[in-house]
Amino acid sequence: MTTRGYDKRACACTLISHIKNPIRFAREMLLHGNTDLTGPPNSGGSGDPSGSEGGAQGHSVLSGATAEKLAREWGLEMCEERYYWTRKRWEQHRRGLGKEKGSGKSDEDAAREEGMRGSDDERDREGFWGDEEGWDGMEYLPQGTVGCVVLDREGVMCVATSTGGLTNKLSGRIGDTPTIGAGFWAEEWFDARPEEWVAHQWKAVQPPLARWMPDMLRDTLGECLPALKGYERAAGEGSSDKKRRGDSMRAVALSGTGNGDSFLRLAATRTAAAIARFSPHHTLTSAVREVAGPGGELQRSAGDRWGTTGEGEGGIIGIELVDGVGRIVAGFNCGGMFRTWIDGSGAERVMVFQEEY
């Protein structure tokens, strides 16, 4: 999703098995869809919503066979399902089903039965056929979501988020990652500076007809006919709605990770952006804290189940742009969240926990 003034453009894909790089497909969806909506470059803004120009018809989300068909037509790299196989995830899957090692079948046999045996490169990389110990999911269970937020020199921001989904989820389940406003969001707007707003001053007046009515009748009818009470702007006060001496441009872009169902219920990233945009005196930092920080909306949404089911757990990263200056934002309510960024001096930064170390 990109920030382009009020012309929001976002694309996502889900339920795919053969597109090697889903983010690249989402990018092509956006580009081809923009061609469908506005036409090719130098066309004068004449598009074809039927999709004959770009093929995406300006849609925001595509899934399954349709997405993979378009990916092939657009020349994107495809792959077999086993490309996505990793030993770590396989062991998490088996553990979740109660099929621990030594339960009767080797990992090799089980993987081959389900058609998920990895490629030779993958097996070599993971040491699948060796004696290595696998990932101990009892100590740490990664969510598997990767999100990225970027600000360019023109002040345009882009956010992209990708995930393999929830381990042992029901077939067909769709989480927050491909859902616009839940797992990712970006927008920009212009704020009038607070001192530029001038409030209207109003005074109550009575229309001529009301002056001849008894008080009780006038009050009763006035509940149904407000014009009988009447209001008008006070003379000489508040003569202008707004004195514009220049607006402040703001933009935000956000990516989330955690319990996707909780993010869906709260429309988490859009909610954080809306707090920053529509609540006075809120920065994106405080807005993200309200949603994803300790004691925030995500945690409260879990109710009594907090800390027992994983519900409500998660975090959000983002960038806030105010008058050309970008600020890194991150908030989470769990033990840690892997994150990295490049600061204003060009230095690479990496953090996991709340406090720097």
Side-chain angles (χ1 to χ4, degrees), residues 30-110:
L30 191 149
L31 294 175
H32 284 79
N34 200 54
T35 298
D36 292 329
L37 294 172
T38 64
N42 304 319
S43 67
S46 177
D48 181 4
S50 69
S52 62
E53 292 287 351
Q57 298 188 25
H59 294 326
S60 295
V61 183
L62 292 175
S63 67
T66 299
E68 295 186 348
K69 177 177 179 291
L70 283 174
R72 291 185 178 92
E73 292 177 359
W74 294 338
L76 295 178
E77 187 174 1
M78 309 300 286
C79 65
E80 296 298 324
E81 284 186 314
R82 66 173 178 264
Y83 168 79
Y84 295 108
W85 186 94
T86 68
R87 179 183 181 182
K88 294 173 184 178
R89 282 300 192 186
W90 177 254
E91 291 180 0
Q92 290 169 14
H93 164 64
R94 299 273 293 170
R95 186 177 293 114
L97 296 177
K99 299 178 180 179
E100 302 288 348
K101 288 183 176 181
S103 59
K105 290 182 181 178
S106 69
D107 285 344
E108 178 183 356
D109 290 337

Side-chain angles (χ1 to χ4, degrees), residues 7-330:
D7 181 19
K8 296 179 177 63
R9 296 290 292 118
C11 288
C13 60
T14 185
L15 301 178
I16 58 173
S17 301
H18 299 93
I19 300 176
K20 189 172 184 179
N21 302 109
I23 293 296
R24 291 184 178 178
F25 175 75
R27 176 182 181 274
E28 291 300 314
M29 268 187 70
L30 191 149
L31 294 175
H32 284 79
N34 200 54
T35 298
D36 292 329
L37 294 172
T38 64
N42 304 319
S43 67
S46 177
D48 181 4
S50 69
S52 62
E53 292 287 351
Q57 298 188 25
H59 294 326
S60 295
V61 183
L62 292 175
S63 67
T66 299
E68 295 186 348
K69 177 177 179 291
L70 283 174
R72 291 185 178 92
E73 292 177 359
W74 294 338
L76 295 178
E77 187 174 1
M78 309 300 286
C79 65
E80 296 298 324
E81 284 186 314
R82 66 173 178 264
Y83 168 79
Y84 295 108
W85 186 94
T86 68
R87 179 183 181 182
K88 294 173 184 178
R89 282 300 192 186
W90 177 254
E91 291 180 0
Q92 290 169 14
H93 164 64
R94 299 273 293 170
R95 186 177 293 114
L97 296 177
K99 299 178 180 179
E100 302 288 348
K101 288 183 176 181
S103 59
K105 290 182 181 178
S106 69
D107 285 344
E108 178 183 356
D109 290 337
R112 185 179 291 108
E113 280 185 12
E114 297 193 21
M116 294 301 292
R117 181 179 174 182
S119 66
D120 291 339
D121 288 343
E122 175 62 37
R123 293 195 298 273
D124 292 342
R125 190 164 60 246
E126 295 286 344
F128 184 86
W129 308 115
D131 295 326
E132 288 186 12
E133 288 296 323
W135 191 273
D136 187 356
M138 299 303 291
E139 294 184 5
Y140 171 71
L141 186 63
Q143 297 292 340
T145 301
V146 177
C148 182
V149 182
V150 178
L151 167 65
D152 71 12
R153 67 181 62 189
E154 302 297 328
V156 177
M157 285 198 287
C158 179
V159 55
T161 310
S162 182
T163 188
L166 185 68
T167 302
N168 293 333
K169 62 185 179 292
L170 290 176
S171 176
R173 180 259 188 187
I174 297 174
D176 64 308
T177 295
T179 305
I180 300 166
F184 66 102
W185 184 258
E187 67 175 305
E188 71 177 40
W189 66 93
F190 289 89
D191 277 343
R193 301 181 191 279
E195 65 271 14
E196 295 164 6
W197 289 93
V198 179
H200 288 316
Q201 301 294 323
W202 301 85
K203 65 180 180 180
V205 295
Q206 284 186 348
L209 176 62
R211 297 171 188 167
W212 298 98
M213 292 182 179
D215 291 344
M216 182 177 296
L217 178 61
R218 182 174 62 249
D219 291 343
T220 301
L221 291 177
E223 296 300 323
C224 302
L225 301 172
L228 290 178
K229 292 185 177 181
Y231 288 90
E232 68 178 16
R233 187 176 302 177
E237 299 181 5
S239 57
S240 174
D241 287 344
K242 183 169 54 175
K243 296 179 180 179
R244 302 288 292 274
R245 293 191 296 273
D247 289 335
S248 170
M249 195 277 277
R250 294 181 64 190
V252 298
L254 299 158
S255 177
T257 181
N259 186 292
D261 295 299
S262 298
F263 274 73
L264 283 167
R265 293 175 192 132
L266 292 177
T269 53
R270 170 55 176 155
T271 296
I275 292 173
R277 179 171 182 177
F278 298 114
S279 298
H281 313 302
H282 263 292
T283 64
L284 187 62
T285 298
S286 61
V288 166
R289 189 182 304 119
E290 287 284 333
V291 174
E297 290 298 318
L298 278 170
Q299 179 173 334
R300 288 195 290 269
S301 73
D304 299 348
R305 299 173 299 281
W306 172 254
T308 61
T309 65
E311 190 174 348
E313 293 182 2
I316 295 175
I317 62 167
I319 297 177
E320 179 179 30
L321 181 66
V322 180
D323 289 335
V325 179
R327 298 184 180 91
I328 301 294
V329 173

